[in-house]
Amino acid sequence: MSDALTAEVLRNALVVAAEEASIVVVRSAYSTFIVEGSDASAAVLDARGRLVAQSMATTLMNSMALRTALPELLADLPPETMRPGDVYALNDAYRGGVHTNDLLVYRPVFVGGAPAYFTATMIHVSDLGGLSAGGMAPLATDIFLEGLQLPPVRLATEAGLDPAIEAVLRANSRTPDKVMGDVRALVAGTAVAAARLESLLAEHGEKGLAAGIDDYLDHTEARTRASLAALPEGRYAAAYPIDDDGIDLGRTHDVRVTRSPSGRAAPCSTSPAPARRCRPRSTPRPRSRWPPPSSRSAASWTRRSP
């Protein structure tokens, strides 16, 4: 079996592990909008903070949150303090979370006595307090009105949920039984993905799995660079439509595509002082009324001459 083929087999196995975790969360959750809407996200990450795999239904925003919040978790709770069976949670919007009702849950997977991978799940739990039930508070004037904020905490151990954290969650929810059902579903999802990951480690070994992950991440980077290289040099603009009053609903961004000496295309200049030239130039437009009309369509992309 070639290295490329092995890497592809491992990639699909890890994606299936994440997908199975999200299915377990949906089938185990108590909240109607999770059960009926299948609104659950799951991912596999490594100890370096790289996103290794994600469930197919996971939005890019949720993948970003699961990836961005992991370093924050490790900053507060170092890997050497973690034990097999531990599960961690947070929802802080300033540390990688989305909003307070989106609970991010992580389980470390150990290799050689240290966490080498993390399985993660995320859903909008039923209620964590705040101004409005369910976490949707359109009249909130600060983040405290959105609900309970959790910094990185140990949610569970091998013995089960931490009683103190469960008491805090129950005390801050209008639907304590439902929110704890959702929390247990999140924990169960991480356990399933961790079991699948441990099976892959047993089959391919620590070095085999790590090498396969590196190979397919390198392959992904190569494909991305090839796609960028196919773009002709020039300046691209994202033009947003206007509302009924003729007011621009957004901003027009110019992104310049240039090539480095190696011939690789990049979305910004690779010449000196890239910090200023890599930032998209934007022209503010008058703010329209809120909310914008529902007829607003997606951005249309047009190419401008260099």
Side-chain angles (χ1 to χ4, degrees):
M1 183 180 290
S2 68
D3 291 341
L5 183 55
T6 302
E8 181 65 11
V9 169
L10 288 174
R11 183 187 71 82
N12 282 279
L14 290 165
V15 169
V16 168
E19 184 68 15
E20 187 176 358
S22 69
I23 293 172
V24 167
V25 173
V26 169
R27 293 175 66 90
S28 305
Y30 280 35
S31 296
T32 303
F33 48 83
I34 302 300
V35 176
E36 299 296 335
S38 300
D39 184 16
S41 301
V44 177
L45 308 101
D46 65 11
R48 294 163 57 185
R50 298 184 302 176
L51 182 66
V52 172
Q54 66 181 49
S55 57
M56 302 307 293
T58 301
T59 65
L60 292 178
M61 177 179 67
N62 289 358
S63 298
M64 172 277 300
L66 291 171
R67 180 191 179 280
T68 304
L70 180 57
E72 296 291 332
L73 169 67
L74 296 177
D76 283 15
L77 302 166
E80 56 269 21
T81 66
M82 297 179 175
R83 299 292 180 267
D86 285 353
V87 182
Y88 303 88
L90 75 155
N91 70 348
D92 192 334
Y94 294 99
R95 305 189 68 182
V98 182
H99 67 146
T100 54
N101 269 63
D102 282 334
L103 199 60
L104 288 68
V105 174
Y106 296 88
R107 179 188 295 268
V109 177
F110 288 76
V111 176
Y117 301 95
F118 288 85
T119 58
T121 53
M122 171 183 171
I123 61 173
H124 182 108
V125 298
S126 63
D127 182 78
L128 282 179
L131 182 65
S132 301
M136 300 298 185
L139 300 181
T141 55
D142 59 40
I143 194 170
F144 300 101
L145 296 179
E146 287 193 6
L148 174 69
Q149 297 178 72
L150 280 178
V153 295
R154 182 177 284 105
L155 178 64
T157 64
E158 197 172 21
L161 290 177
D162 186 297
I165 299 299
E166 180 175 358
V168 170
L169 293 173
R170 284 183 173 275
N172 285 274
S173 177
R174 299 174 178 87
T175 57
D177 292 336
K178 280 191 174 183
V179 79
M180 293 315 303
D182 290 345
V183 168
R184 289 187 173 88
L186 288 164
V187 173
T190 63
V192 168
R196 301 295 176 264
L197 193 55
E198 288 167 353
S199 297
L200 291 174
L201 284 165
E203 181 178 355
H204 297 276
E206 174 187 353
K207 293 183 178 179
L209 180 59
I213 290 173
D214 287 340
D215 286 345
Y216 83 70
L217 290 180
D218 288 344
H219 177 62
T220 300
E221 180 183 355
R223 291 182 61 187
T224 302
R225 289 187 177 276
S227 297
L228 287 173
L231 293 173
E233 289 193 12
R235 183 170 293 155
Y236 294 77
Y240 293 91
I242 58 176
D243 65 9
D244 296 337
D245 296 332
I247 299 177
D248 193 339
L249 294 177
R251 298 181 178 183
T252 299
H253 295 272
D254 288 347
V255 180
R256 187 175 182 82
V257 175
T258 61
R259 298 187 185 279
S260 64
S262 64
R264 290 176 173 176
C268 58
S269 174
T270 56
S271 58
R276 287 179 293 176
R277 297 193 65 184
C278 288
R279 294 175 183 170
R281 297 186 305 166
S282 59
T283 303
R285 304 296 187 198
R287 297 184 64 180
S288 63
R289 65 181 183 273
W290 185 260
S294 58
S295 59
R296 174 177 176 177
S297 60
S300 59
W301 289 83
T302 58
R303 180 172 183 263
R304 296 181 179 179
S305 59

